[in-house]
Amino acid sequence: MTRRLRAPGQGRCDFVGCLHLLPLCGSPHWSGNLQPVLDRCLSEAERYVKAGVDGLIVENTHDTPYQRVDVDAGTIAGMAVAAGEVRKRFDLPIGIQVLAAADVAAIDVAVTCDLDFIRAEGFVFAHVADEGIIQGDAAGILRRRAHVKADAVEVWTDIKKKHSAHAVTADLTLREEAKGAVYCGADGVIITGGHTGEPPTSEEVQSVAGLGARVVVGSGVDVQNVVSLGSIADVLIVGSACKQGGDWRGPVDPQRVARLVEMLHEAG
């Protein structure tokens, strides 16, 4: 059974907490043992859920430097194990992102583990990321989703993604790119700042509203802007601000999560 976040424009904004997995098999920093990865993932998921988040997203954030599209099988297998364990324990919307831009693989993990959405880095147009050129692959992603009977898995896609150069689409506004994504079948459009921990402006988020897809903020949410951004967006994906010291590399701080969730819920 698929759990759903609120429909776009219906009620208050939802809060999705990031589960940043420790290095997985294939990463230069892999420890050789999956158990510590699972232990930390499940511990942090428990902290998020107790703090009242509306959903979770599993990401292989510590696998730097990221591969591009063709990610090691061991990495994908580790993500599936972790996501599956989270799903067994928690009955709330859960998503996955396989960095970098392994979006077809993310569909397979999502359907295998009964997840609810993926975060796609390469859906429409193209950009130059840290890893190199990322091409849009809406056709491949949605065909794979149909082939594996995963129509209930939503695809949320980054628009002018962080950590990237966008000269090739400099003549397109955020809204124009978002319109292209929705035209190609995206269920949500994700707006970010330039880098991890940097927020988009309220004007940037507002610019992609009213297209029929979820408006998602994908970076830089903190106590200074959670209310203002939450008043515009349908979903906030929050990572760094939930960590000790606000550092994405640290463990989840349940008090920081609880404060952010409380602020969002009280404002909503």
Side-chain angles (χ1 to χ4, degrees):
M1 180 181 68
T2 301
R3 298 127 296 265
R4 291 285 185 184
L5 296 167
R6 294 166 183 80
Q10 301 297 312
R12 67 165 174 79
C13 181
D14 284 308
F15 189 108
V16 173
C18 291
L19 292 169
H20 294 154
L21 298 179
L22 294 176
L24 294 164
C25 180
S27 166
H29 310 293
W30 162 242
S31 70
N33 185 356
L34 185 61
Q35 195 58 51
V37 180
L38 299 179
D39 290 344
R40 175 155 162 175
C41 175
L42 294 172
S43 172
E44 296 194 340
E46 183 73 30
R47 295 176 192 176
Y48 273 126
V49 172
K50 286 185 176 179
V53 300
D54 302 293
L56 298 166
I57 184 168
V58 180
E59 303 178 356
N60 57 322
T61 313
H62 290 271
D63 281 346
T64 52
Y66 304 123
Q67 295 174 294
R68 185 182 63 220
V69 182
D70 295 322
V71 174
D72 287 342
T75 300
I76 297 168
M79 295 195 74
V81 172
E85 290 299 314
V86 175
R87 167 51 71 219
K88 286 179 186 178
R89 289 164 173 76
F90 304 104
D91 187 30
L92 77 171
I94 300 172
I96 193 158
Q97 180 180 27
V98 185
L99 296 161
D103 305 323
V104 171
I107 289 287
D108 285 358
V109 174
V111 70
T112 300
C113 300
D114 189 26
L115 307 184
D116 305 285
F117 63 94
I118 72 164
R119 180 173 182 171
E121 182 173 346
F123 192 74
V124 290
F125 301 104
H127 59 272
V128 183
D130 299 0
E131 305 81 26
I133 296 174
I134 304 294
Q135 295 276 16
D137 189 25
I141 295 166
L142 296 187
R143 280 168 171 75
R144 184 61 181 174
R145 184 174 71 171
H147 178 70
V148 298
K149 311 300 182 187
D151 289 347
V153 176
E154 293 190 2
V155 176
W156 302 357
T157 180
D158 281 276
I159 303 298
K160 293 188 184 290
K161 185 183 177 294
K162 60 186 176 179
H163 300 289
S164 302
H166 298 283
V168 70
T169 57
D171 57 333
L172 296 176
T173 65
L174 274 173
R175 185 172 180 84
E176 287 169 335
E177 281 208 24
K179 286 176 70 175
V182 175
Y183 174 79
C184 288
D187 302 292
V189 291
I190 303 172
I191 309 303
T192 68
H195 297 275
T196 295
E198 294 182 6
T201 66
S202 296
E203 291 75 18
E204 288 172 329
V205 178
Q206 184 65 56
S207 74
V208 302
L211 296 177
R214 297 186 191 279
V215 176
V216 184
V217 175
S219 74
V221 175
D222 58 23
V223 294
Q224 302 299 321
N225 59 30
V226 65
V227 172
S228 60
L229 292 177
S231 69
I232 307 168
D234 298 302
V235 182
L236 305 179
I237 297 176
V238 191
S240 299
C242 294
K243 303 300 191 71
Q244 289 183 8
D247 186 338
W248 66 269
R249 291 161 291 197
V252 168
D253 182 336
Q255 292 183 332
R256 293 177 71 100
V257 182
R259 184 183 180 197
L260 287 163
V261 170
E262 183 181 9
M263 291 176 69
L264 181 64
H265 289 187
E266 286 182 351

